[in-house]
Amino acid sequence: MQVLISLSFSLVGGLLMSRLAKKLNLPAVTAYLVAGLLLGPYCIGRLNLLGVGFHTPEEVSALDIISQTALGFIAFTIGNEFRLEQLKHMGKQAITVGIAQAVFTAAMVDVALVVLHFINPNLISISSAITLGAIAAATAPAATLMVVRQYKADGPLTKLLLLVVAIDDAVGLVLFSASFGVAAALESGTVSLMTVLVEPLVEIVLSLALGGAAGWVLYRVEKYFFSRSKRLSISIGFVLLTVGLSMAEFEVGGVHCGFSLLLVCMMTGTVFCNICDFSEELMGRVDGWTAPLFVLFFVLSGAELNLQVLSNPLVLLVGVVYIIFRSLGKYLGACGSCAATGCSESITKYLGITLLPQAGVALGMALTAQQLSDGAMVRSVVLFSVLVYELVGPALTKRALIAAGEIQTEGRTNARKKNTPKKPLKLGE
C-alpha cells in the first residue's frame, strides 16, 4: 500500500509541477526533478505522513528497478537514432566529437583538481581527483532526450546531439574504468592491467554483442505478429529482458565480466531499427507507453538528491571547481572538435551547452569510487554537481536548441504534431 500510494503521489505530483514549470518557461524534466526533491526524504518525506513522499533514502533505493527500466527504454530510444543513412552523413563527426569532448573534459577536471590537491592536500587526494575527472566525461542521456521529445526538437544539432550523447557514455565508461584502476593502484601501490584495460574493453564488447543479438532476435520474433498491440508488447518485453540480462556479472579465467545497461539497450535499438522496416512506427507507440515511466524516473531521481551535501563547505568548494571546469571542458571540447570536423557554426556554438546535464551514469560511477580512501568525498561532490546540473542543465539545453532554431518557442506544443523550426535566436533572447 505504501509503495503504490507513494508512486501515485510521485506521478501526479510530477505532472502537476510541470504545469507550474510551463508558466515559468522551464522544461518538464526540471519540474519532475523538483517534485521528487520536494517529495524526498529531505523535504515532505521527513514529515512521515502515510503514503506521502519517501520517508528514507532506502525507500527511494528500493524502487531502483523503475529507474533501471526507464534507463533501458531511454537507451533503446537513443539507439534508434543510429540509422545507417544518418550515420553516413554525420557518423564520423559524431564519433570524433563524442570522443574528443569527453577526453578533453576529463583532462580539464583532472588538471584543476590535481592543482587543488597541491594547493591544499587535505581537500582532495590525487586518486579522487583522477577519478572525478573521468566521471566528469559522462553526460545524462535521459534529461537530454526528454527535452528533445517534449519540444519535438529537430535539426542538425539535435541529430548530432543524440549521437554524441550515446557515444559519450561508452567513452566515459572506458575513461572511468582506466582512471579508477590507476587511482586504486596509487593507493595500493600495484598496477593491474586487468582492471585498467582488459575488463573495461571486455565489458564494452560483451555489451555490444548482447545488444546486437537481442536486436536481431527481437526483429525475428516481431515478424510472427501483425497486431500493433502485440508488437508493442513484444518490444517492451525485449527491453525488459535486456535490462535484466545486463545486470548479470560473472568471472572467466580471473577476468570479471559484466555489462553496461546503456550500451546493451542502445545496441538493441540500433540493430533493430536498421533491419526492421516498421521500427519507426513501433518506436512511436513505445514512446507513448513509456511516458509515465519517464515521469517516475525523474521524480525518483529528484528524491535521491541529497541536500545534506550542501552543509559541508569543503564539498561545496571542490564541487564548484568540478562544475566550473567540467562545464568549460564540455563547451570548449565540443567547440574545438566541431570546428575541426567542419560542423556548422550553429552546432559549434551550441552543442557544448546541451552536453552539460549529468545524473544516473555519474552516480553509478561515484558509487564504485566509494571504495577509495577518499571515496566519500567523490560521491558527495558528484551528488552536489548532479543537484546543480539536473536542475539547470535541461533549461540550458532547451535555450541552446531554441537559439539554434530547432524547437518552437511560441504558443502551445502539440504532442501530436512536429514543431516547425523558427528563426534562430541568440542564446540570451
Side-chain angles (χ1 to χ4, degrees):
M1 181 181 72
Q2 172 80 15
V3 171
L4 290 176
I5 294 176
S6 295
L7 289 177
S8 173
F9 267 93
S10 299
L11 187 57
V12 176
L15 292 171
L16 289 175
M17 186 65 72
S18 70
R19 302 309 300 169
L20 175 61
K22 187 176 181 64
K23 293 184 181 296
L24 298 175
N25 207 25
L26 292 172
V29 61
T30 302
Y32 303 149
L33 289 162
V34 172
L37 194 62
L38 294 175
L39 291 170
Y42 303 101
C43 290
I44 294 175
R46 188 170 288 234
L47 300 176
N48 290 322
L49 300 175
L50 180 63
V52 181
F54 303 96
H55 304 160
T56 64
E58 289 72 27
E59 286 186 17
V60 183
S61 299
L63 297 172
D64 272 351
I65 188 64
I66 294 177
S67 299
Q68 295 295 314
T69 303
L71 277 175
F73 279 101
I74 288 166
F76 182 70
T77 302
I78 291 177
N80 273 266
E81 298 297 323
F82 283 83
R83 297 180 182 271
L84 290 178
E85 183 178 347
Q86 189 167 315
L87 289 175
K88 289 177 183 177
H89 290 93
M90 53 176 50
K92 183 179 179 181
Q93 287 180 329
I95 293 171
T96 303
V97 174
I99 295 175
Q101 57 82 25
V103 173
F104 186 77
T105 301
M108 284 276 290
V109 176
D110 275 341
V111 171
L113 294 181
V114 168
V115 169
L116 188 63
H117 164 78
F118 283 115
I119 293 174
N120 187 347
N122 294 324
L123 282 177
I124 188 170
S125 66
I126 289 286
S127 57
S128 293
I130 294 172
T131 304
L132 278 170
I135 294 174
T139 299
T144 302
L145 179 64
M146 284 293 285
V147 172
V148 169
R149 286 174 59 176
Q150 179 185 354
Y151 296 102
K152 304 296 183 291
D154 189 29
L157 173 59
T158 302
K159 288 182 172 64
L160 182 63
L161 169 62
L162 292 176
L163 295 176
V164 168
V165 166
I167 293 167
D168 184 271
D169 285 317
V171 178
L173 173 65
V174 174
L175 289 175
F176 176 75
S177 298
S179 298
F180 182 67
V182 171
L186 288 174
E187 293 195 346
S188 65
T190 58
V191 178
S192 172
L193 288 178
M194 188 72 70
T195 304
V196 174
L197 185 61
V198 177
E199 290 184 355
L201 293 177
V202 168
E203 181 172 337
I204 291 174
V205 171
L206 288 177
S207 298
L208 295 178
L210 176 60
W216 182 81
V217 174
L218 172 59
Y219 167 65
R220 299 300 298 178
V221 173
E222 292 277 15
K223 290 182 68 175
Y224 289 103
F225 298 90
F226 302 97
S227 164
R228 290 180 176 179
S229 60
K230 290 179 180 177
R231 282 180 169 175
L232 173 63
S233 299
I234 291 294
S235 300
I236 292 170
F238 261 81
V239 176
L240 294 176
L241 176 64
T242 53
V243 170
L245 291 176
S246 67
M247 296 178 182
E249 294 183 2
F250 54 93
E251 206 168 286
V252 177
V255 179
H256 178 266
C257 301
F259 301 93
S260 165
L261 182 152
L262 289 174
L263 287 182
V264 171
C265 294
M266 279 180 195
M267 193 62 179
T268 302
T270 300
V271 171
F272 179 67
C273 78
N274 281 291
I275 63 177
C276 179
D277 55 359
F278 53 83
S279 64
E280 201 161 345
E281 178 195 351
L282 190 56
M283 282 307 302
R285 298 178 67 81
V286 171
D287 289 346
W289 184 87
T290 56
L293 179 64
F294 289 170
V295 174
L296 283 176
F297 168 75
F298 284 106
V299 172
L300 291 173
S301 297
E304 284 183 322
L305 297 177
N306 189 345
L307 296 180
Q308 290 182 338
V309 299
L310 300 178
S311 63
N312 189 336
L314 295 181
V315 169
L316 294 181
L317 174 60
V318 178
V320 167
V321 173
Y322 174 88
I323 289 171
I324 290 173
F325 283 90
R326 179 182 181 270
S327 302
L328 283 173
K330 287 290 179 183
Y331 184 76
L332 297 177
C335 283
S337 54
C338 284
T341 54
C343 293
S344 67
E345 182 181 349
S346 178
I347 293 176
T348 302
K349 187 175 181 180
Y350 298 117
L351 179 64
I353 299 172
T354 64
L355 296 173
L356 293 180
Q358 188 174 47
V361 177
L363 289 173
M365 293 176 177
L367 189 61
T368 302
Q370 280 190 305
Q371 300 172 29
L372 299 173
S373 59
D374 199 17
M377 169 64 79
V378 174
R379 180 159 174 77
S380 296
V381 169
V382 173
L383 283 170
F384 172 61
S385 70
V386 166
L387 178 64
V388 174
Y389 279 126
E390 283 298 88
L391 295 178
V392 177
L396 291 177
T397 298
K398 175 193 170 185
R399 295 306 303 170
L401 292 173
I402 288 174
E406 297 194 4
I407 63 176
Q408 184 174 320
T409 59
E410 298 175 0
R412 292 192 174 189
T413 300
N414 189 330
R416 295 180 178 83
K417 293 182 180 179
K418 186 177 181 179
N419 280 340
T420 303
K422 298 202 171 187
K423 181 181 177 182
L425 302 175
K426 292 183 179 180
L427 193 59
E429 293 182 350

